[in-house]
Amino acid sequence: MVRRLDARLLRVTQLVGVVVLACWVAVLAGTVLQGHRTSSYSDLVSAVRSGDATEVQVSPGLPARASGHATVEIRWRDGLLRRTTSVVEVRGRQTGHRSDATTAVLRRPVPDALRARDPDLEITTLRRDGGGFGVSAELLGWTAPAPVALGYLTATLATLLLLALGPEPRRVTPWGWFWLILLTGPIGSIAFLVMSGVLSRTPVAPPMRPRTGGGWAFILALALGSVAGTLNG
């Protein structure tokens, strides 16, 4: 009876693992297909000059004759990919309040600056009304829409729950997998689902050699996060 029960739990865990893995694939696909790749203003200028970007969307900046500063988001297409960047529009004697989210400071309206690069560039308004400018989240260097961000959160929680309630994992200790999942997102989560034995049809055998512990996994996760941040930048 105990063996039958263990076999059933193993099949349930395997099935749940497959579903969670499919959720991660859907989240990554949705990020690429529905999200915008975070880029710089210089990337946009290069695309406009080369003719790769013929149409851009610009969120409202400062009103006419107003002084001060405002953050403006710009979106455009680069082949099959959608890209986005943010700049600070400054007028008057204000100084540019550039942050990590902005990539340039402009002393004139964004449409004027872009048309100076290409007079034939088509510019449309990106409204802040939830239609074109809705709630979003930053995922792996992409600005993903709210449904994808919710899927990301759900997949992460499901992966952590599977780690807590599933069988003893292979290769890395549970605390090690916890840090990898928490700090590297899809990278650690997919690695856990594929490498930990959660999708195996047979019980996980006791490890023949010591597994990677939480401390080393924490350092590895920080290193992976640093590399990913460098690539995204």
Side-chain angles (χ1 to χ4, degrees), residues 49-87:
R49 284 177 173 174
S50 64
D52 293 334
T54 58
E55 178 182 355
V56 298
Q57 293 178 299
V58 180
S59 66
L62 291 172
R65 298 181 181 179
S67 61
H69 66 276
T71 300
V72 179
E73 183 180 3
I74 312 169
R75 293 183 178 181
W76 73 99
R77 276 192 174 275
D78 182 6
L80 297 177
L81 298 182
R82 303 176 182 180
R83 293 187 177 271
T84 182
T85 191
S86 294
V87 301

Side-chain angles (χ1 to χ4, degrees), residues 49-230:
R49 284 177 173 174
S50 64
D52 293 334
T54 58
E55 178 182 355
V56 298
Q57 293 178 299
V58 180
S59 66
L62 291 172
R65 298 181 181 179
S67 61
H69 66 276
T71 300
V72 179
E73 183 180 3
I74 312 169
R75 293 183 178 181
W76 73 99
R77 276 192 174 275
D78 182 6
L80 297 177
L81 298 182
R82 303 176 182 180
R83 293 187 177 271
T84 182
T85 191
S86 294
V87 301
V88 176
E89 183 181 305
V90 180
R91 287 189 219 154
R93 297 182 179 180
Q94 297 287 330
T95 57
H97 294 260
R98 180 170 174 176
S99 65
D100 293 338
T102 57
T103 61
V105 176
L106 303 181
R107 288 283 176 178
R108 54 178 168 171
V110 174
D112 294 348
L114 293 176
R115 286 200 173 97
R117 309 284 182 178
D118 181 5
D120 297 326
L121 182 67
E122 184 178 350
I123 300 177
T124 57
T125 301
L126 184 61
R127 298 291 182 185
R128 300 175 185 266
D129 56 6
F133 196 94
V135 178
S136 61
E138 289 291 330
L139 303 176
L140 297 176
W142 293 74
T143 301
V148 176
L150 180 60
Y152 181 94
L153 177 61
T154 302
T156 300
L157 294 177
T159 305
L160 291 174
L161 187 62
L162 195 59
L163 170 64
L165 303 180
E168 188 72 13
R170 296 172 179 163
R171 295 180 175 84
V172 182
T173 63
W175 271 112
W177 281 121
F178 172 80
W179 289 120
L180 288 170
I181 294 169
L182 191 65
L183 298 179
T184 65
I187 298 174
S189 297
I190 293 176
F192 165 73
L193 294 170
V194 174
M195 300 174 59
S196 70
V198 71
L199 300 181
S200 176
R201 295 182 179 180
T202 59
V204 177
M208 299 298 295
R209 55 185 178 180
R211 296 173 294 175
T212 302
W216 284 111
F218 180 79
I219 296 174
L220 177 61
L222 291 179
L224 290 175
S226 178
V227 171
T230 302

